[in-house]
Amino acid sequence: MLLISNRRCQVPRVVVVGAGFAGLAAARALRRSGMAVTLVDRHVYSTFQPLLYQVATGGLNPGDVAYPVRAYATQHRAGFRRGAVVRVDTAARQVVLADGGRVSYDYLILAGGVTTTHFGVPGAAQHTFAVYTRGDAIAVRDALMDRLETVAESPDRRLDLVVVGGGPTGVETAGALAELCDTGIRAAFPEIARDRVRVLLVERGEDVLSGFHPSLRRYAVRQLRHRGVQVRLGATVAAVEADRLCMADGTTVPAELTVWAAGVAAADQVRDWGLPQGAGGRILVGPDLRVLGEDRVFAAGDLAFDPQAPMPQLAPPAIQMGAHAAGQIERLAAGLGTKQFRYRDKGNAATIGRSAAVIELPGLVRLTGPIAWLGWVGLHVVMLLGARNRLSTLLNLAWRYLSRPYGRNLIVGDSPSRLPIQEAA
Ligand SMILES: Cc1cc2nc3c(=O)[nH]c(=O)nc-3n(C[C@H](O)[C@H](O)[C@H](O)COP(=O)(O)OP(=O)(O)OC[C@H]3O[C@@H](n4cnc5c(N)ncnc54)[C@H](O)[C@@H]3O)c2cc1C
């Protein structure tokens, strides 16, 4: 017994904070390392963020995009501790959790992701919804059903659904809302004429999908407009009130439900972790992904920021960074030096709606239309964790896109009177 216990003590302990793309990739990469790996997450599930907007717009169930972290950890010979990290005690080599618990490490990977930022726009945090967590998406869907029911009961009322931000999340959400109006609402709320519901996308820049090639950006705007989305470019939101946006040019825009998809930053609580932060509060790392000034602490995914080589905040870089950080820990434990992280660009994709998507692959390959859309569906279904989730997502997406009208089978929400769920850290 003594021997076993001593041996256990000699096995390096790796703590991975965050069970998103980066954290899970790190745990997967360490599976055969023989180290004692513990995943820490504030939730008991890992969220597949790229399909959250489908949950928000009644196409998918919240369970379709969630996978139990404990099951994943067990499959990958790791442990799991639920808890929100509130501080990193680098001197004691421990992460401190909100419930007062402490988890000791020899090596640490911080992969806690980022969250919605409102850029200090007055009223934005109070009066808009985010689509960043599973709780956010459920709140949007519940509120959407609530607003639609109110409009169905009041023949004189109209409904203005507004999306702020023309990045992939904003474009995908606006496209899905337009589709909801075209087919879903018509079937589920026959009292509501199409012209009583307006979907507006507001973007401060002169284009949507700024990370994509200009031809793909133009395609996305054309497709959105074709689907009935009003796209306002070069429009800056100055303040948000309960039922309208106040624009920087002095005009107002009616908004009964606003989804805020204008940007992300590290959570405010990361300030308390006592680690160096850069743009958007992200944790500063060196070329090998070690946190600046720290020998045993790495950061990966959306939360990590190397000013010399900033990464797009997307799933492929997060996965590669998580795996790289894990590899460097194995090297350090073996007495070797670390290697620089090099991103292998796998391309980028966004969908606008049925039969319309954009895909940009390395080597100047650009796809649009039904082929890109099928590629987008396939990619997302394959990337989901768990066969059951893949099957139910495929079925729900097929129902949404292939059955007309799909509205009678909308995955509906409650009818709350409350405002967005502001998720605890
Ligand atoms: C709506 C939406 C659509 C997107 N679509 C795409 C897409 O189509 N393609 C693409 O490549 N990317 C997309 N992205 C971006 C992609 O999802 C992120 O880049 C990716 O999730 C980042 O992975 P991560 O591991 O760094 O963080 P995350 O996946 O955000 O995971 C972070 C984890 O850390 C946990 N956590 C956070 N704080 C704490 C704490 N204090 N203590 C403990 N645990 C904590 C969280 O619960 C979470 O599980 C999308 C994002 C959103 C929001």
Side-chain angles (χ1 to χ4, degrees), residues 217-231:
R217 299 182 211 167
R218 288 192 293 273
Y219 170 83
V221 172
R222 271 200 314 275
Q223 281 295 326
L224 285 168
R225 289 189 169 140
H226 174 67
R227 286 154 201 260
V229 178
Q230 295 184 23
V231 183

Side-chain angles (χ1 to χ4, degrees), residues 18 20-22 41-42 49-50 83-85 112-113 131-132 169 301-302 313-316:
F21 286 107
D41 200 288
R42 59 188 171 166
Q49 289 177 349
V85 171
V131 194
Y132 214 81
T169 303
D302 282 1
Q313 287 169 295
L314 293 170

Side-chain angles (χ1 to χ4, degrees), residues 226-303:
H226 174 67
R227 286 154 201 260
V229 178
Q230 295 184 23
V231 183
R232 271 186 72 177
L233 299 172
T236 302
V237 179
V240 185
E241 296 176 359
D243 57 357
R244 60 184 187 160
L245 307 182
C246 305
M247 309 303 291
D249 63 7
T251 59
T252 57
V253 172
E256 272 82 43
L257 191 154
T258 303
V259 173
W260 189 268
V264 293
D268 290 344
Q269 294 88 334
V270 173
R271 265 200 300 266
D272 304 328
W273 291 8
L275 297 169
Q277 290 177 270
R282 295 160 75 190
I283 294 179
L284 286 171
V285 295
D288 60 357
L289 302 184
R290 263 188 292 190
V291 174
L292 291 188
E294 299 294 334
D295 284 344
R296 291 165 175 268
V297 183
F298 291 78
D302 282 1
L303 184 58

Side-chain angles (χ1 to χ4, degrees), residues 158-163 177-178 181 193-201 228-230 232 252-257:
R158 2 175 331 138
L159 180 61
D160 291 284
L161 306 172
V162 180
V163 179
L177 286 172
C181 298
R194 173 67 180 89
D195 61 2
R196 287 174 63 203
V197 185
R198 182 174 74 144
V199 181
L200 172 68
L201 177 69
V229 178
Q230 295 184 23
R232 271 186 72 177
T252 57
V253 172
E256 272 82 43
L257 191 154

Side-chain angles (χ1 to χ4, degrees), residues 215-216 219-220 222 352 355-359 366-373:
S215 62
L216 302 184
Y219 170 83
R222 271 200 314 275
I352 297 110
S355 299
V358 293
I359 295 187
R366 294 181 203 112
L367 303 174
T368 56
I371 291 176
W373 181 71

Side-chain angles (χ1 to χ4, degrees), residues 51 54 59-60 373 376-377 380-381 392-402:
L51 288 174
Q54 287 282 352
L60 291 182
W373 181 71
W376 172 89
V377 172
H380 282 68
V381 171
S392 61
T393 297
L394 199 57
L395 186 70
N396 281 325
L397 288 181
W399 207 276
R400 163 163 267 201
Y401 289 123
L402 302 181

Side-chain angles (χ1 to χ4, degrees), residues 82-226:
R82 176 175 54 179
V85 171
V86 291
R87 199 162 62 82
V88 181
D89 186 343
T90 49
R93 290 195 202 149
Q94 290 180 329
V95 290
V96 184
L97 304 179
D99 62 12
R102 286 175 168 255
V103 187
S104 299
Y105 64 82
D106 296 304
Y107 299 98
L108 174 64
I109 301 177
L110 296 168
V114 289
T115 189
T116 311
T117 181
H118 300 97
F119 302 110
V121 172
Q126 294 77 22
H127 300 302
T128 69
F129 292 81
V131 194
Y132 214 81
T133 65
R134 186 169 156 276
D136 290 338
I138 295 169
V140 173
R141 193 176 67 194
D142 288 355
L144 190 57
M145 293 299 153
D146 178 54
R147 310 291 196 274
L148 286 168
E149 191 57 37
T150 307
V151 172
E153 285 165 0
S154 333
D156 301 335
R157 285 185 70 161
R158 2 175 331 138
L159 180 61
D160 291 284
L161 306 172
V162 180
V163 179
V164 180
T169 303
V171 166
E172 291 181 343
T173 306
L177 286 172
E179 244 165 24
L180 193 72
C181 298
D182 276 343
T183 53
I185 292 175
R186 201 184 326 150
F189 298 89
E191 304 83 353
I192 306 178
R194 173 67 180 89
D195 61 2
R196 287 174 63 203
V197 185
R198 182 174 74 144
V199 181
L200 172 68
L201 177 69
V202 175
E203 162 58 42
R204 187 172 54 173
E206 293 304 327
D207 238 332
V208 300
L209 298 182
S210 64
F212 287 79
H213 187 269
S215 62
L216 302 184
R217 299 182 211 167
R218 288 192 293 273
Y219 170 83
V221 172
R222 271 200 314 275
Q223 281 295 326
L224 285 168
R225 289 189 169 140
H226 174 67

